[in-house]
Amino acid sequence: MIKKFFFLFLIIAGCSENINNQKPNILFIMSDDHAYQAISAYDQRLIKTPNIDRIAKEGMLFTNASVTNSICAPSRAVILTGKHSHINGKIDNGKPFDTTQVTFPQLFQKAGYQTAMFGKLHFGNNPKGVDDFLILPGQGSYINPRFIGRDNDTIITGYVTDIITDVTLNWLDKKRDKSKPFMMMYLHKAPHRPWWPSPEKFAEFYNKKFPEPETLFDNYNGRGIAAKTAEMNILTHMQYMHDSKIRPSTLESMEKVEPEIKYIRGESVVRPGPNGFMGPFNRANDDQKRKYNVTLDKINADFKNNWPLMNDKEKMSWKFQRYMQDYLATISSVDDNVGRVLNYLDENKLSKNTIVVYTSDQGFYLGEHGWFDKRFIYDESFKTPLLVRWPNQIKPGTTSDEMVQNLDFAQTFLEAAMIDIPSDMQGESLIPIFKGQNDQWDRESVYYHYYEYPSVHMVKRHYGIVNKKYKLVHFYYDVDEWELYDRENDPNEMKNVYNDPNYIDIVESLTDELYELRKKYKDSKELDQKFLTN
Ligand code: SGN
Ligand code: CA
């Protein structure tokens, strides 16, 4: 009798498994400002990220994934709506997201999925279409962060990357209805500026030395006004207190030794720097401060002893190392935590039926062209990491160089979940690429449009078209400059060949194509004008 019941139970359990199996779970992992150069699946030179790499090893690595507008909140709005910035209205980090826009989590929720979002959203309002959420207010804090919850706000003691993972795992394990498929958005704040690691990683990475990129000492000859006037150079715009973690007392004590000390204090040459020196540190409790101080003491002693003896080239190298130590330390925590979540999926037999995506809201400069930050259509900020695992659908260990974008996520997830795709979404489902059916993918070029200017880092407004071989860009607003890059012959994008007679035909055909793309995506001069005044 007991045996009979047991078999009956097995059959029923098996059936309900099957029903669930038809609809895959989605685990969307996104970090903030994570450069593909800092993922070992892409580049071995800076850091090992074994857990993130696992997603590509067991799935697909995209080498030409990009964003449509390389800045935080606009990228998130593109992802959630499947529409370009000029259509969803979120063109820059400034005004709040228009919550009358339809986002894909709402469609998942309506279709019976369990939905949740944990971490950084940066919309200025709460997410719609999620059963549960806990998000950072604005940029959020690295240490003992405050969160906005569905029911109430809370401050959680600890390091932000660990905490976002804890709440994600808690929801997966204890809070969701396990009879339904889930769509989870697990969104890290790291490695965003000012790159504050956990105390342990801070100590570990302070001892490391990293290779400099070829273009660290770029003088921007060969490019236009936009590259020359951007304020994101490591030597001239990165701030000693806020970014390099030099204490005010160290600077005070060096005041007489160092004539440019005022500028070192964070008063950048052109515009005042961010307030809140060592903001994250000031949120730490005594125990946390004690741990951070061990490394801060070493950094400050080194700065005090060696800085006055350095020339500009050495100062650039010193600041680059400090930058990499902290930036990569925050990524090491992200990687550890991604490992925790992947292990949870394995241990709970969820891996097989879950699409795991790892991406960033955009790329980032790790010293290329002497820069930090993003915004430009140039490769390091235009491209973004993308690794996708979907067992039985994606062949493990595969790579795709198709021109895919963050614009494509919404449609991809909806198709995977067999939910109707609204006809006004502007991307394409990536599923044919996942399945290796590249003949069903015919996109050759993508459209880009960046707006946030004048603003921090002073990157001028521009739009452009990119295909595998070329990149054509129009900088506008207070300039009217065109640039063309030959991506195959000049992968570092050092030479604008727009006026080179050898490229006349390319310029002509790409300009036509660019205007076709603007038409296709419903962007226009009138809209550019509208966004200048709004
Ligand atoms: C802050 C940062 C900038 C960064 C913007 C946008 N300064 O203002 O360096 O470009 O955010 O970043 S900070 O020193 O205060 O961190 S985004 O990822 O939100 O778009
Ligand atoms: Ca970002």
Side-chain angles (χ1 to χ4, degrees), residues 76-83 88 97-110 117 121 123 126-130 183 185 410 414 422 425:
R76 289 152 203 265
V78 168
I79 290 169
L80 288 170
T81 61
K83 293 174 186 168
N88 71 48
F97 174 69
D98 166 9
T99 54
T100 64
Q101 295 284 317
V102 173
T103 61
F104 81 79
Q106 288 169 286
L107 304 173
F108 270 76
Q109 193 179 45
K110 259 194 219 143
M117 179 187 288
L121 176 62
F123 266 7
N126 292 344
K128 277 188 165 173
V130 284
M183 194 291 294
M185 303 196 83
L414 290 167
M425 284 191 173

PDB file of all heavy atoms in Angstrom, residues 76-83 88 97-110 117 121 123 126-130 183 185 410 414 422 425:
ATOM      1  N   ARG A  76      19.296  50.619 -18.001  1.00  0.00           N
ATOM      2  CA  ARG A  76      18.316  49.783 -17.298  1.00  0.00           C
ATOM      3  C   ARG A  76      16.922  49.960 -17.901  1.00  0.00           C
ATOM      4  O   ARG A  76      16.135  49.015 -18.014  1.00  0.00           O
ATOM      5  CB  ARG A  76      18.315  50.110 -15.808  1.00  0.00           C
ATOM      6  CG  ARG A  76      19.586  49.596 -15.153  1.00  0.00           C
ATOM      7  CD  ARG A  76      20.002  50.402 -13.931  1.00  0.00           C
ATOM      8  NE  ARG A  76      21.436  50.207 -13.731  1.00  0.00           N
ATOM      9  CZ  ARG A  76      21.971  49.294 -12.914  1.00  0.00           C
ATOM     10  NH1 ARG A  76      21.195  48.535 -12.179  1.00  0.00           N
ATOM     11  NH2 ARG A  76      23.268  49.158 -12.835  1.00  0.00           N
ATOM     12  N   ALA A  77      16.625  51.222 -18.299  1.00  0.00           N
ATOM     13  CA  ALA A  77      15.313  51.483 -18.899  1.00  0.00           C
ATOM     14  C   ALA A  77      15.202  50.775 -20.251  1.00  0.00           C
ATOM     15  O   ALA A  77      14.147  50.237 -20.593  1.00  0.00           O
ATOM     16  CB  ALA A  77      15.104  52.987 -19.058  1.00  0.00           C
ATOM     17  N   VAL A  78      16.290  50.753 -21.017  1.00  0.00           N
ATOM     18  CA  VAL A  78      16.290  50.049 -22.308  1.00  0.00           C
ATOM     19  C   VAL A  78      16.062  48.554 -22.071  1.00  0.00           C
ATOM     20  O   VAL A  78      15.258  47.907 -22.744  1.00  0.00           O
ATOM     21  CB  VAL A  78      17.629  50.292 -23.061  1.00  0.00           C
ATOM     22  CG1 VAL A  78      17.782  49.345 -24.238  1.00  0.00           C
ATOM     23  CG2 VAL A  78      17.726  51.741 -23.523  1.00  0.00           C
ATOM     24  N   ILE A  79      16.749  48.012 -21.078  1.00  0.00           N
ATOM     25  CA  ILE A  79      16.614  46.583 -20.781  1.00  0.00           C
ATOM     26  C   ILE A  79      15.173  46.249 -20.399  1.00  0.00           C
ATOM     27  O   ILE A  79      14.587  45.286 -20.888  1.00  0.00           O
ATOM     28  CB  ILE A  79      17.594  46.187 -19.649  1.00  0.00           C
ATOM     29  CG1 ILE A  79      19.034  46.235 -20.175  1.00  0.00           C
ATOM     30  CG2 ILE A  79      17.258  44.805 -19.077  1.00  0.00           C
ATOM     31  CD1 ILE A  79      20.105  46.128 -19.102  1.00  0.00           C
ATOM     32  N   LEU A  80      14.599  47.051 -19.523  1.00  0.00           N
ATOM     33  CA  LEU A  80      13.270  46.722 -19.004  1.00  0.00           C
ATOM     34  C   LEU A  80      12.150  46.958 -20.020  1.00  0.00           C
ATOM     35  O   LEU A  80      11.142  46.262 -20.010  1.00  0.00           O
ATOM     36  CB  LEU A  80      12.993  47.496 -17.715  1.00  0.00           C
ATOM     37  CG  LEU A  80      13.801  46.984 -16.512  1.00  0.00           C
ATOM     38  CD1 LEU A  80      13.684  47.933 -15.332  1.00  0.00           C
ATOM     39  CD2 LEU A  80      13.333  45.587 -16.094  1.00  0.00           C
ATOM     40  N   THR A  81      12.324  47.965 -20.904  1.00  0.00           N
ATOM     41  CA  THR A  81      11.245  48.273 -21.853  1.00  0.00           C
ATOM     42  C   THR A  81      11.458  47.635 -23.223  1.00  0.00           C
ATOM     43  O   THR A  81      10.517  47.555 -24.009  1.00  0.00           O
ATOM     44  CB  THR A  81      11.128  49.802 -22.089  1.00  0.00           C
ATOM     45  OG1 THR A  81      12.369  50.278 -22.646  1.00  0.00           O
ATOM     46  CG2 THR A  81      10.824  50.541 -20.799  1.00  0.00           C
ATOM     47  N   GLY A  82      12.725  47.272 -23.542  1.00  0.00           N
ATOM     48  CA  GLY A  82      13.010  46.795 -24.900  1.00  0.00           C
ATOM     49  C   GLY A  82      12.901  47.915 -25.919  1.00  0.00           C
ATOM     50  O   GLY A  82      12.644  47.672 -27.104  1.00  0.00           O
ATOM     51  N   LYS A  83      13.083  49.153 -25.479  1.00  0.00           N
ATOM     52  CA  LYS A  83      12.979  50.311 -26.381  1.00  0.00           C
ATOM     53  C   LYS A  83      14.157  51.249 -26.167  1.00  0.00           C
ATOM     54  O   LYS A  83      14.640  51.399 -25.039  1.00  0.00           O
ATOM     55  CB  LYS A  83      11.691  51.087 -26.083  1.00  0.00           C
ATOM     56  CG  LYS A  83      10.449  50.319 -26.412  1.00  0.00           C
ATOM     57  CD  LYS A  83       9.213  51.088 -25.965  1.00  0.00           C
ATOM     58  CE  LYS A  83       7.989  50.210 -26.176  1.00  0.00           C
ATOM     59  NZ  LYS A  83       6.817  50.763 -25.510  1.00  0.00           N
ATOM     60  N   ASN A  88      11.627  55.341 -24.750  1.00  0.00           N
ATOM     61  CA  ASN A  88      11.158  55.134 -23.355  1.00  0.00           C
ATOM     62  C   ASN A  88      11.308  56.394 -22.515  1.00  0.00           C
ATOM     63  O   ASN A  88      10.811  56.457 -21.390  1.00  0.00           O
ATOM     64  CB  ASN A  88      11.826  53.904 -22.712  1.00  0.00           C
ATOM     65  CG  ASN A  88      13.304  54.125 -22.410  1.00  0.00           C
ATOM     66  OD1 ASN A  88      13.689  55.148 -21.839  1.00  0.00           O
ATOM     67  ND2 ASN A  88      14.142  53.171 -22.753  1.00  0.00           N
ATOM     68  N   PHE A  97      12.381  57.624 -14.057  1.00  0.00           N
ATOM     69  CA  PHE A  97      11.837  56.772 -15.123  1.00  0.00           C
ATOM     70  C   PHE A  97      10.323  56.973 -15.208  1.00  0.00           C
ATOM     71  O   PHE A  97       9.645  57.109 -14.184  1.00  0.00           O
ATOM     72  CB  PHE A  97      12.169  55.312 -14.788  1.00  0.00           C
ATOM     73  CG  PHE A  97      11.560  54.298 -15.711  1.00  0.00           C
ATOM     74  CD1 PHE A  97      11.995  54.197 -17.025  1.00  0.00           C
ATOM     75  CD2 PHE A  97      10.566  53.438 -15.254  1.00  0.00           C
ATOM     76  CE1 PHE A  97      11.439  53.245 -17.886  1.00  0.00           C
ATOM     77  CE2 PHE A  97      10.009  52.488 -16.099  1.00  0.00           C
ATOM     78  CZ  PHE A  97      10.448  52.395 -17.417  1.00  0.00           C
ATOM     79  N   ASP A  98       9.803  56.985 -16.429  1.00  0.00           N
ATOM     80  CA  ASP A  98       8.364  57.130 -16.656  1.00  0.00           C
ATOM     81  C   ASP A  98       7.685  55.775 -16.406  1.00  0.00           C
ATOM     82  O   ASP A  98       7.763  54.865 -17.234  1.00  0.00           O
ATOM     83  CB  ASP A  98       8.164  57.604 -18.107  1.00  0.00           C
ATOM     84  CG  ASP A  98       6.733  57.483 -18.583  1.00  0.00           C
ATOM     85  OD1 ASP A  98       5.837  57.198 -17.752  1.00  0.00           O
ATOM     86  OD2 ASP A  98       6.516  57.679 -19.800  1.00  0.00           O
ATOM     87  N   THR A  99       6.999  55.674 -15.277  1.00  0.00           N
ATOM     88  CA  THR A  99       6.468  54.361 -14.871  1.00  0.00           C
ATOM     89  C   THR A  99       5.196  53.958 -15.642  1.00  0.00           C
ATOM     90  O   THR A  99       4.633  52.903 -15.384  1.00  0.00           O
ATOM     91  CB  THR A  99       6.158  54.324 -13.359  1.00  0.00           C
ATOM     92  OG1 THR A  99       5.308  55.423 -13.067  1.00  0.00           O
ATOM     93  CG2 THR A  99       7.417  54.385 -12.531  1.00  0.00           C
ATOM     94  N   THR A 100       4.773  54.812 -16.602  1.00  0.00           N
ATOM     95  CA  THR A 100       3.662  54.356 -17.444  1.00  0.00           C
ATOM     96  C   THR A 100       4.190  53.452 -18.578  1.00  0.00           C
ATOM     97  O   THR A 100       3.418  52.834 -19.296  1.00  0.00           O
ATOM     98  CB  THR A 100       2.888  55.540 -18.082  1.00  0.00           C
ATOM     99  OG1 THR A 100       3.771  56.239 -18.970  1.00  0.00           O
ATOM    100  CG2 THR A 100       2.360  56.496 -17.019  1.00  0.00           C
ATOM    101  N   GLN A 101       5.518  53.409 -18.733  1.00  0.00           N
ATOM    102  CA  GLN A 101       6.122  52.515 -19.728  1.00  0.00           C
ATOM    103  C   GLN A 101       5.914  51.050 -19.309  1.00  0.00           C
ATOM    104  O   GLN A 101       6.044  50.734 -18.131  1.00  0.00           O
ATOM    105  CB  GLN A 101       7.631  52.765 -19.806  1.00  0.00           C
ATOM    106  CG  GLN A 101       8.033  54.120 -20.314  1.00  0.00           C
ATOM    107  CD  GLN A 101       7.866  54.219 -21.825  1.00  0.00           C
ATOM    108  OE1 GLN A 101       8.221  53.300 -22.547  1.00  0.00           O
ATOM    109  NE2 GLN A 101       7.305  55.322 -22.275  1.00  0.00           N
ATOM    110  N   VAL A 102       5.629  50.210 -20.278  1.00  0.00           N
ATOM    111  CA  VAL A 102       5.488  48.778 -19.974  1.00  0.00           C
ATOM    112  C   VAL A 102       6.888  48.166 -19.853  1.00  0.00           C
ATOM    113  O   VAL A 102       7.738  48.384 -20.714  1.00  0.00           O
ATOM    114  CB  VAL A 102       4.712  48.053 -21.099  1.00  0.00           C
ATOM    115  CG1 VAL A 102       4.703  46.549 -20.874  1.00  0.00           C
ATOM    116  CG2 VAL A 102       3.295  48.599 -21.179  1.00  0.00           C
ATOM    117  N   THR A 103       7.118  47.412 -18.765  1.00  0.00           N
ATOM    118  CA  THR A 103       8.409  46.739 -18.599  1.00  0.00           C
ATOM    119  C   THR A 103       8.190  45.225 -18.655  1.00  0.00           C
ATOM    120  O   THR A 103       7.117  44.737 -18.298  1.00  0.00           O
ATOM    121  CB  THR A 103       9.052  47.092 -17.243  1.00  0.00           C
ATOM    122  OG1 THR A 103       8.191  46.662 -16.197  1.00  0.00           O
ATOM    123  CG2 THR A 103       9.302  48.594 -17.140  1.00  0.00           C
ATOM    124  N   PHE A 104       9.225  44.493 -19.052  1.00  0.00           N
ATOM    125  CA  PHE A 104       9.004  43.052 -19.247  1.00  0.00           C
ATOM    126  C   PHE A 104       8.651  42.302 -17.945  1.00  0.00           C
ATOM    127  O   PHE A 104       7.874  41.353 -17.993  1.00  0.00           O
ATOM    128  CB  PHE A 104      10.145  42.401 -20.049  1.00  0.00           C
ATOM    129  CG  PHE A 104      11.374  42.066 -19.271  1.00  0.00           C
ATOM    130  CD1 PHE A 104      11.430  40.924 -18.481  1.00  0.00           C
ATOM    131  CD2 PHE A 104      12.490  42.886 -19.331  1.00  0.00           C
ATOM    132  CE1 PHE A 104      12.573  40.602 -17.754  1.00  0.00           C
ATOM    133  CE2 PHE A 104      13.635  42.573 -18.609  1.00  0.00           C
ATOM    134  CZ  PHE A 104      13.676  41.439 -17.813  1.00  0.00           C
ATOM    135  N   PRO A 105       9.151  42.731 -16.746  1.00  0.00           N
ATOM    136  CA  PRO A 105       8.712  42.004 -15.541  1.00  0.00           C
ATOM    137  C   PRO A 105       7.190  42.050 -15.342  1.00  0.00           C
ATOM    138  O   PRO A 105       6.590  41.081 -14.855  1.00  0.00           O
ATOM    139  CB  PRO A 105       9.435  42.741 -14.413  1.00  0.00           C
ATOM    140  CG  PRO A 105      10.651  43.325 -15.060  1.00  0.00           C
ATOM    141  CD  PRO A 105      10.213  43.704 -16.446  1.00  0.00           C
ATOM    142  N   GLN A 106       6.563  43.155 -15.754  1.00  0.00           N
ATOM    143  CA  GLN A 106       5.098  43.224 -15.632  1.00  0.00           C
ATOM    144  C   GLN A 106       4.441  42.122 -16.463  1.00  0.00           C
ATOM    145  O   GLN A 106       3.452  41.517 -16.049  1.00  0.00           O
ATOM    146  CB  GLN A 106       4.597  44.596 -16.124  1.00  0.00           C
ATOM    147  CG  GLN A 106       4.942  45.729 -15.181  1.00  0.00           C
ATOM    148  CD  GLN A 106       4.670  47.094 -15.815  1.00  0.00           C
ATOM    149  OE1 GLN A 106       5.417  47.539 -16.677  1.00  0.00           O
ATOM    150  NE2 GLN A 106       3.610  47.734 -15.397  1.00  0.00           N
ATOM    151  N   LEU A 107       5.004  41.879 -17.649  1.00  0.00           N
ATOM    152  CA  LEU A 107       4.420  40.861 -18.528  1.00  0.00           C
ATOM    153  C   LEU A 107       4.658  39.463 -17.961  1.00  0.00           C
ATOM    154  O   LEU A 107       3.805  38.580 -18.073  1.00  0.00           O
ATOM    155  CB  LEU A 107       5.017  40.987 -19.939  1.00  0.00           C
ATOM    156  CG  LEU A 107       4.861  42.388 -20.561  1.00  0.00           C
ATOM    157  CD1 LEU A 107       5.617  42.475 -21.885  1.00  0.00           C
ATOM    158  CD2 LEU A 107       3.381  42.726 -20.774  1.00  0.00           C
ATOM    159  N   PHE A 108       5.809  39.281 -17.320  1.00  0.00           N
ATOM    160  CA  PHE A 108       6.096  37.996 -16.670  1.00  0.00           C
ATOM    161  C   PHE A 108       5.143  37.760 -15.509  1.00  0.00           C
ATOM    162  O   PHE A 108       4.640  36.659 -15.308  1.00  0.00           O
ATOM    163  CB  PHE A 108       7.555  37.952 -16.172  1.00  0.00           C
ATOM    164  CG  PHE A 108       8.508  37.421 -17.195  1.00  0.00           C
ATOM    165  CD1 PHE A 108       8.905  38.200 -18.257  1.00  0.00           C
ATOM    166  CD2 PHE A 108       8.998  36.128 -17.109  1.00  0.00           C
ATOM    167  CE1 PHE A 108       9.790  37.710 -19.222  1.00  0.00           C
ATOM    168  CE2 PHE A 108       9.873  35.622 -18.058  1.00  0.00           C
ATOM    169  CZ  PHE A 108      10.275  36.414 -19.113  1.00  0.00           C
ATOM    170  N   GLN A 109       4.930  38.816 -14.745  1.00  0.00           N
ATOM    171  CA  GLN A 109       4.048  38.679 -13.580  1.00  0.00           C
ATOM    172  C   GLN A 109       2.629  38.313 -14.028  1.00  0.00           C
ATOM    173  O   GLN A 109       2.006  37.399 -13.487  1.00  0.00           O
ATOM    174  CB  GLN A 109       4.035  39.995 -12.796  1.00  0.00           C
ATOM    175  CG  GLN A 109       3.419  39.878 -11.419  1.00  0.00           C
ATOM    176  CD  GLN A 109       3.459  41.213 -10.693  1.00  0.00           C
ATOM    177  OE1 GLN A 109       3.135  42.255 -11.271  1.00  0.00           O
ATOM    178  NE2 GLN A 109       3.845  41.194  -9.429  1.00  0.00           N
ATOM    179  N   LYS A 110       2.148  39.000 -15.058  1.00  0.00           N
ATOM    180  CA  LYS A 110       0.808  38.717 -15.590  1.00  0.00           C
ATOM    181  C   LYS A 110       0.699  37.289 -16.097  1.00  0.00           C
ATOM    182  O   LYS A 110      -0.364  36.677 -16.028  1.00  0.00           O
ATOM    183  CB  LYS A 110       0.517  39.668 -16.765  1.00  0.00           C
ATOM    184  CG  LYS A 110      -0.371  40.835 -16.370  1.00  0.00           C
ATOM    185  CD  LYS A 110      -0.899  41.524 -17.614  1.00  0.00           C
ATOM    186  CE  LYS A 110      -0.910  43.037 -17.358  1.00  0.00           C
ATOM    187  NZ  LYS A 110      -0.542  43.820 -18.529  1.00  0.00           N
ATOM    188  N   MET A 117      13.155  41.567  -7.708  1.00  0.00           N
ATOM    189  CA  MET A 117      14.310  42.390  -8.064  1.00  0.00           C
ATOM    190  C   MET A 117      15.058  42.786  -6.798  1.00  0.00           C
ATOM    191  O   MET A 117      14.469  43.349  -5.874  1.00  0.00           O
ATOM    192  CB  MET A 117      13.833  43.645  -8.793  1.00  0.00           C
ATOM    193  CG  MET A 117      14.981  44.570  -9.177  1.00  0.00           C
ATOM    194  SD  MET A 117      14.412  46.143  -9.849  1.00  0.00           S
ATOM    195  CE  MET A 117      13.806  45.658 -11.451  1.00  0.00           C
ATOM    196  N   LEU A 121      18.669  49.658  -8.931  1.00  0.00           N
ATOM    197  CA  LEU A 121      17.805  49.972 -10.070  1.00  0.00           C
ATOM    198  C   LEU A 121      18.113  51.378 -10.593  1.00  0.00           C
ATOM    199  O   LEU A 121      18.288  51.576 -11.786  1.00  0.00           O
ATOM    200  CB  LEU A 121      16.333  49.856  -9.662  1.00  0.00           C
ATOM    201  CG  LEU A 121      15.321  50.245 -10.746  1.00  0.00           C
ATOM    202  CD1 LEU A 121      15.440  49.332 -11.956  1.00  0.00           C
ATOM    203  CD2 LEU A 121      13.893  50.223 -10.204  1.00  0.00           C
ATOM    204  N   PHE A 123      16.274  54.237 -10.632  1.00  0.00           N
ATOM    205  CA  PHE A 123      15.221  54.844 -11.451  1.00  0.00           C
ATOM    206  C   PHE A 123      14.582  56.070 -10.818  1.00  0.00           C
ATOM    207  O   PHE A 123      13.828  56.774 -11.460  1.00  0.00           O
ATOM    208  CB  PHE A 123      14.114  53.810 -11.717  1.00  0.00           C
ATOM    209  CG  PHE A 123      14.268  53.060 -12.992  1.00  0.00           C
ATOM    210  CD1 PHE A 123      15.413  53.196 -13.767  1.00  0.00           C
ATOM    211  CD2 PHE A 123      13.254  52.210 -13.434  1.00  0.00           C
ATOM    212  CE1 PHE A 123      15.556  52.499 -14.959  1.00  0.00           C
ATOM    213  CE2 PHE A 123      13.384  51.511 -14.627  1.00  0.00           C
ATOM    214  CZ  PHE A 123      14.529  51.654 -15.384  1.00  0.00           C
ATOM    215  N   ASN A 126      10.027  53.108  -7.679  1.00  0.00           N
ATOM    216  CA  ASN A 126      10.095  51.667  -7.423  1.00  0.00           C
ATOM    217  C   ASN A 126       9.737  50.855  -8.674  1.00  0.00           C
ATOM    218  O   ASN A 126       8.996  51.330  -9.521  1.00  0.00           O
ATOM    219  CB  ASN A 126       9.141  51.304  -6.280  1.00  0.00           C
ATOM    220  CG  ASN A 126       9.626  51.886  -4.966  1.00  0.00           C
ATOM    221  OD1 ASN A 126      10.791  52.288  -4.850  1.00  0.00           O
ATOM    222  ND2 ASN A 126       8.743  51.972  -3.994  1.00  0.00           N
ATOM    223  N   PRO A 127      10.260  49.631  -8.737  1.00  0.00           N
ATOM    224  CA  PRO A 127       9.967  48.811  -9.927  1.00  0.00           C
ATOM    225  C   PRO A 127       8.517  48.347  -9.939  1.00  0.00           C
ATOM    226  O   PRO A 127       7.915  48.125  -8.887  1.00  0.00           O
ATOM    227  CB  PRO A 127      10.899  47.613  -9.748  1.00  0.00           C
ATOM    228  CG  PRO A 127      11.139  47.513  -8.284  1.00  0.00           C
ATOM    229  CD  PRO A 127      11.089  48.918  -7.751  1.00  0.00           C
ATOM    230  N   LYS A 128       7.974  48.197 -11.147  1.00  0.00           N
ATOM    231  CA  LYS A 128       6.630  47.634 -11.290  1.00  0.00           C
ATOM    232  C   LYS A 128       6.755  46.201 -11.790  1.00  0.00           C
ATOM    233  O   LYS A 128       7.743  45.864 -12.465  1.00  0.00           O
ATOM    234  CB  LYS A 128       5.851  48.452 -12.312  1.00  0.00           C
ATOM    235  CG  LYS A 128       5.231  49.711 -11.724  1.00  0.00           C
ATOM    236  CD  LYS A 128       4.320  50.330 -12.758  1.00  0.00           C
ATOM    237  CE  LYS A 128       3.402  51.368 -12.163  1.00  0.00           C
ATOM    238  NZ  LYS A 128       2.663  52.055 -13.245  1.00  0.00           N
ATOM    239  N   GLY A 129       5.778  45.386 -11.467  1.00  0.00           N
ATOM    240  CA  GLY A 129       5.758  44.024 -12.012  1.00  0.00           C
ATOM    241  C   GLY A 129       6.608  43.034 -11.239  1.00  0.00           C
ATOM    242  O   GLY A 129       6.887  41.957 -11.733  1.00  0.00           O
ATOM    243  N   VAL A 130       7.037  43.418 -10.026  1.00  0.00           N
ATOM    244  CA  VAL A 130       7.784  42.438  -9.231  1.00  0.00           C
ATOM    245  C   VAL A 130       7.033  42.143  -7.929  1.00  0.00           C
ATOM    246  O   VAL A 130       6.560  43.042  -7.249  1.00  0.00           O
ATOM    247  CB  VAL A 130       9.248  42.883  -8.951  1.00  0.00           C
ATOM    248  CG1 VAL A 130      10.108  42.708 -10.188  1.00  0.00           C
ATOM    249  CG2 VAL A 130       9.339  44.300  -8.440  1.00  0.00           C
ATOM    250  N   MET A 183      11.306  34.774 -12.351  1.00  0.00           N
ATOM    251  CA  MET A 183      12.126  35.709 -13.132  1.00  0.00           C
ATOM    252  C   MET A 183      12.768  36.623 -12.092  1.00  0.00           C
ATOM    253  O   MET A 183      12.100  37.407 -11.444  1.00  0.00           O
ATOM    254  CB  MET A 183      11.246  36.508 -14.095  1.00  0.00           C
ATOM    255  CG  MET A 183      12.007  37.249 -15.185  1.00  0.00           C
ATOM    256  SD  MET A 183      13.014  38.629 -14.619  1.00  0.00           S
ATOM    257  CE  MET A 183      11.737  39.723 -14.045  1.00  0.00           C
ATOM    258  N   MET A 185      15.722  39.373 -10.955  1.00  0.00           N
ATOM    259  CA  MET A 185      16.731  40.356 -11.354  1.00  0.00           C
ATOM    260  C   MET A 185      17.639  40.610 -10.150  1.00  0.00           C
ATOM    261  O   MET A 185      17.207  41.156  -9.136  1.00  0.00           O
ATOM    262  CB  MET A 185      16.068  41.639 -11.829  1.00  0.00           C
ATOM    263  CG  MET A 185      15.102  41.359 -12.979  1.00  0.00           C
ATOM    264  SD  MET A 185      14.610  42.814 -13.891  1.00  0.00           S
ATOM    265  CE  MET A 185      15.992  42.988 -15.013  1.00  0.00           C
ATOM    266  N   ALA A 410      14.632  41.977 -23.364  1.00  0.00           N
ATOM    267  CA  ALA A 410      13.202  41.820 -23.060  1.00  0.00           C
ATOM    268  C   ALA A 410      12.575  40.796 -24.009  1.00  0.00           C
ATOM    269  O   ALA A 410      11.915  39.844 -23.568  1.00  0.00           O
ATOM    270  CB  ALA A 410      12.495  43.169 -23.161  1.00  0.00           C
ATOM    271  N   LEU A 414      11.005  37.101 -23.067  1.00  0.00           N
ATOM    272  CA  LEU A 414       9.576  36.866 -23.321  1.00  0.00           C
ATOM    273  C   LEU A 414       9.401  35.660 -24.240  1.00  0.00           C
ATOM    274  O   LEU A 414       8.566  34.787 -23.987  1.00  0.00           O
ATOM    275  CB  LEU A 414       8.931  38.117 -23.927  1.00  0.00           C
ATOM    276  CG  LEU A 414       8.790  39.304 -22.959  1.00  0.00           C
ATOM    277  CD1 LEU A 414       8.451  40.585 -23.710  1.00  0.00           C
ATOM    278  CD2 LEU A 414       7.733  39.030 -21.877  1.00  0.00           C
ATOM    279  N   PRO A 422       5.141  42.514 -27.059  1.00  0.00           N
ATOM    280  CA  PRO A 422       4.464  43.714 -27.577  1.00  0.00           C
ATOM    281  C   PRO A 422       5.108  44.159 -28.892  1.00  0.00           C
ATOM    282  O   PRO A 422       6.330  44.129 -29.035  1.00  0.00           O
ATOM    283  CB  PRO A 422       4.701  44.763 -26.484  1.00  0.00           C
ATOM    284  CG  PRO A 422       5.029  43.993 -25.251  1.00  0.00           C
ATOM    285  CD  PRO A 422       5.682  42.727 -25.710  1.00  0.00           C
ATOM    286  N   MET A 425       8.129  46.835 -29.151  1.00  0.00           N
ATOM    287  CA  MET A 425       9.501  46.651 -28.653  1.00  0.00           C
ATOM    288  C   MET A 425      10.457  46.709 -29.842  1.00  0.00           C
ATOM    289  O   MET A 425      10.105  46.303 -30.946  1.00  0.00           O
ATOM    290  CB  MET A 425       9.643  45.334 -27.895  1.00  0.00           C
ATOM    291  CG  MET A 425       9.027  45.411 -26.507  1.00  0.00           C
ATOM    292  SD  MET A 425       9.473  43.990 -25.501  1.00  0.00           S
ATOM    293  CE  MET A 425       8.790  44.491 -23.910  1.00  0.00           C
TER     294      MET A 425
END
